[in-house]
Amino acid sequence: MNEKIDIKDVTPVKIHKPSNSGDSSAYPARSRIYVRAVEGMLENIRRFFGLIFLGVFALIPWLQYNGNQAVLLDIGEQRFNIFAMTLWPQDLTILAYIFIVSAFALFFITTFAGRVWCGFMCPQTTWTFIYIWFEEKIEGSRNKRMKLDQRKMDADKFFRKTLKHFSWVSVALLTSITFVGYFTPIDSLFVDFFTFDVSFWAGFSVIFFTVCTYGNAGYMREIMCTHMCPYARFQSAMFDKDTFTVAYNPERGEKRGPRSRKVTQEQLQEKGLGDCIDCNLCVQVCPTGIDIRNGLQYECINCGACVDACNGVMDKMGYDKGLISFTSEHQLAGGTTKIVRPKLIGYAVVLLVMTSLLVFDIYSRVPLEIDIIKDRNSLYRETNQGLIENVYTLKLLNKSQQDRTFKVSISGLESGNYVGVSEVQVRGGEVYTLPISVTSDPYALTEEITEFKFHVQTQDENGEIIKIEETTKFIFTDV
């Protein structure tokens, strides 16, 4: 009981927030964040990835494969066409593996480099910066936009605001049509929508996602990242002291304060000043409106805008770059960052295992399937020849994108005879309904229910035989 307990100072720091509108209620109104433009290496990288992401997103629905849309996620027909592969509800494991691999890839990247997905590839961030770009081009720089909003409505303000919102709606509409084009043929969607000949659900979806894109990127912006996205809340569970994230170096920057460029390092030391000149540019360029100098905050999306802004100031002042940088807690404390560590290895191993299972599942996937439906109106009947007949409906599913010839046969039923068409042509990605019947000599049936098998075989593009079999039951109750 006499042992001392170490006490850790957890005094909260004051975090920068957008100023309130004067409402002193418990839930004050949110004020707008005016994001300042920034140039730098990380900004160029973010733009590069943004352009790649936009290009891939816009191009994929227009690709053609074997005369059809290469990627078409047809929910109505319950099939997903992805180039040469067609996924059906029976292929749920492949979709599950894809989501699991994506999740663990995100966990791995987050553990290593923080929230870089949010800052460089997230659609919300990408479209937000696109909308901010239109703001800058139409309404001007940050200070000009602030002054414009403070002005009373006049012809110039009305024109600029109208042009800005028209641009926002246009981007949102093109985005929405492209997105819906993943689920319905995009070539006809563009024509039908603008000629008011589109189906109800396709038109509703386009309008719905247009409103969502316009609202999210135009108005909600950082609210999506700070209040609605669950990733911001549980990301800390993946962080450790070796995770690279955007951070401010207080040992080098404090005590902060303005100064002239002509002030020498000796004079700075005499005044007790660090390298931070307290210009607040790091706050002005932040899309979520935080002050990175207050430490790691869940609102930070690791876009690196504050890094570029601070490096630009350091260049002008003649100081070394890196006052704000992608670094780890260990490195800030004067230690070294451990790249290879148990948590990162664990995520890498699980990611490798799940990726291997996904590849194996796709590789071992049989491009055909059979579903047997027993006629329930009559369990069996006796033919004119005295044979017992059971009627079935076969659903032959061609999972490939090529037309194939399916051959059907039976086995395991003594004196059993297949009655019906035994060879059919099934188009790629189609389900063929084949009604058939099976007969047997009643004296050969020793049980009321006899199990036997249907066999279906076809050839792939290389001439190799592909076979599947399905067990069903033959019923005769007068045994």
Side-chain angles (χ1 to χ4, degrees), residues 251-263:
E251 295 294 329
R252 175 184 161 187
E254 301 297 327
K255 177 179 175 184
R256 69 186 76 158
R259 79 292 303 270
S260 170
R261 298 185 189 180
K262 298 179 181 179
V263 177

Side-chain angles (χ1 to χ4, degrees), residues 11-81:
T11 303
V13 295
K14 182 179 179 181
I15 299 177
H16 168 84
K17 292 291 182 183
S19 58
N20 295 332
S21 59
D23 186 0
S24 59
S25 63
Y27 300 97
R30 161 183 171 261
S31 62
R32 182 179 176 185
I33 296 175
Y34 294 87
V35 181
R36 181 174 182 146
V38 64
E39 297 291 339
M41 182 185 68
L42 293 176
E43 176 67 12
N44 292 334
I45 294 175
R46 188 191 60 74
R47 290 177 182 176
F48 171 78
F49 279 107
L51 288 174
I52 294 296
F53 170 78
L54 282 173
V56 171
F57 169 75
L59 180 62
I60 284 180
W62 294 99
L63 297 179
Q64 296 289 311
Y65 184 83
N66 284 342
N68 299 313
Q69 188 168 322
V71 177
L72 181 59
L73 313 179
D74 196 334
I75 297 178
E77 296 293 332
Q78 296 185 352
R79 62 184 182 189
F80 292 175
N81 292 331

Side-chain angles (χ1 to χ4, degrees), residues 58-191:
L59 180 62
I60 284 180
W62 294 99
L63 297 179
Q64 296 289 311
Y65 184 83
N66 284 342
N68 299 313
Q69 188 168 322
V71 177
L72 181 59
L73 313 179
D74 196 334
I75 297 178
E77 296 293 332
Q78 296 185 352
R79 62 184 182 189
F80 292 175
N81 292 331
I82 305 175
F83 291 91
M85 181 172 62
T86 300
L87 299 180
W88 298 83
Q90 298 89 333
D91 299 313
L92 181 62
T93 54
I94 293 180
L95 293 176
Y97 282 138
I98 291 175
F99 289 133
I100 293 173
V101 168
S102 300
F104 276 100
L106 182 62
F107 298 162
F108 177 82
I109 293 298
T110 302
T111 301
F112 177 72
R115 258 178 105 178
V116 290
W117 161 260
C118 296
F120 290 84
M121 289 293 291
C122 177
Q124 174 68 20
T125 302
T126 302
W127 264 261
T128 294
F129 276 107
I130 290 174
Y131 275 37
I132 292 175
W133 182 85
F134 277 102
E135 280 186 340
E136 293 172 349
K137 297 302 179 182
I138 297 172
E139 297 182 354
S141 62
R142 177 177 183 269
N143 292 334
K144 290 181 179 179
R145 298 201 303 272
M146 295 173 68
K147 292 179 180 179
L148 182 67
D149 286 347
Q150 293 171 0
R151 276 166 42 189
K152 293 182 178 180
M153 184 62 69
D154 54 24
D156 177 67
K157 182 175 180 178
F158 178 80
F159 172 76
R160 292 180 183 274
K161 291 293 183 181
T162 302
L163 182 59
K164 181 186 73 172
H165 288 283
F166 175 79
S167 302
W168 284 4
V169 171
S170 299
V171 172
L173 181 60
L174 290 175
T175 300
S176 179
I177 294 178
T178 302
F179 179 73
V180 176
Y182 279 83
F183 302 92
T184 188
I186 193 171
D187 49 356
S188 60
L189 176 64
F190 259 89
V191 176

Side-chain angles (χ1 to χ4, degrees), residues 154-329:
D154 54 24
D156 177 67
K157 182 175 180 178
F158 178 80
F159 172 76
R160 292 180 183 274
K161 291 293 183 181
T162 302
L163 182 59
K164 181 186 73 172
H165 288 283
F166 175 79
S167 302
W168 284 4
V169 171
S170 299
V171 172
L173 181 60
L174 290 175
T175 300
S176 179
I177 294 178
T178 302
F179 179 73
V180 176
Y182 279 83
F183 302 92
T184 188
I186 193 171
D187 49 356
S188 60
L189 176 64
F190 259 89
V191 176
D192 293 343
F193 182 81
F194 289 106
T195 57
F196 304 101
D197 194 31
V198 69
S199 65
F200 170 79
W201 285 113
F204 173 80
S205 299
V206 170
I207 295 174
F208 175 78
F209 287 111
T210 298
V211 173
C212 289
T213 304
Y214 174 75
N216 290 345
Y219 291 97
M220 300 185 69
R221 294 188 180 177
E222 78 284 353
I223 290 181
M224 292 292 297
C225 305
T226 59
H227 291 78
M228 300 182 68
C229 179
Y231 183 45
R233 302 295 177 173
F234 68 76
Q235 62 167 332
S236 58
M238 292 170 278
F239 279 23
D240 55 38
K241 293 185 177 181
D242 293 298
T243 298
F244 287 100
T245 186
V246 174
Y248 166 74
N249 188 346
E251 295 294 329
R252 175 184 161 187
E254 301 297 327
K255 177 179 175 184
R256 69 186 76 158
R259 79 292 303 270
S260 170
R261 298 185 189 180
K262 298 179 181 179
V263 177
T264 63
Q265 290 292 335
E266 292 77 9
Q267 292 174 324
L268 290 178
Q269 293 176 1
E270 291 176 1
K271 295 181 179 180
L273 294 176
D275 285 354
C276 179
I277 67 172
D278 204 19
C279 62
N280 278 334
L281 285 181
C282 57
V283 178
Q284 296 176 16
V285 300
C286 179
T288 59
I290 66 171
D291 191 340
I292 194 63
R293 295 170 296 182
N294 289 325
L296 179 63
Q297 298 147 63
Y298 76 89
E299 297 96 337
C300 178
I301 62 173
N302 271 25
C303 65
C306 56
V307 176
D308 285 333
C310 187
N311 284 340
V313 172
M314 293 296 104
D315 270 344
K316 293 178 180 178
M317 296 299 298
Y319 301 162
D320 293 335
K321 296 180 180 180
L323 179 60
I324 301 176
S325 62
F326 273 90
T327 186
S328 67
E329 187 176 342

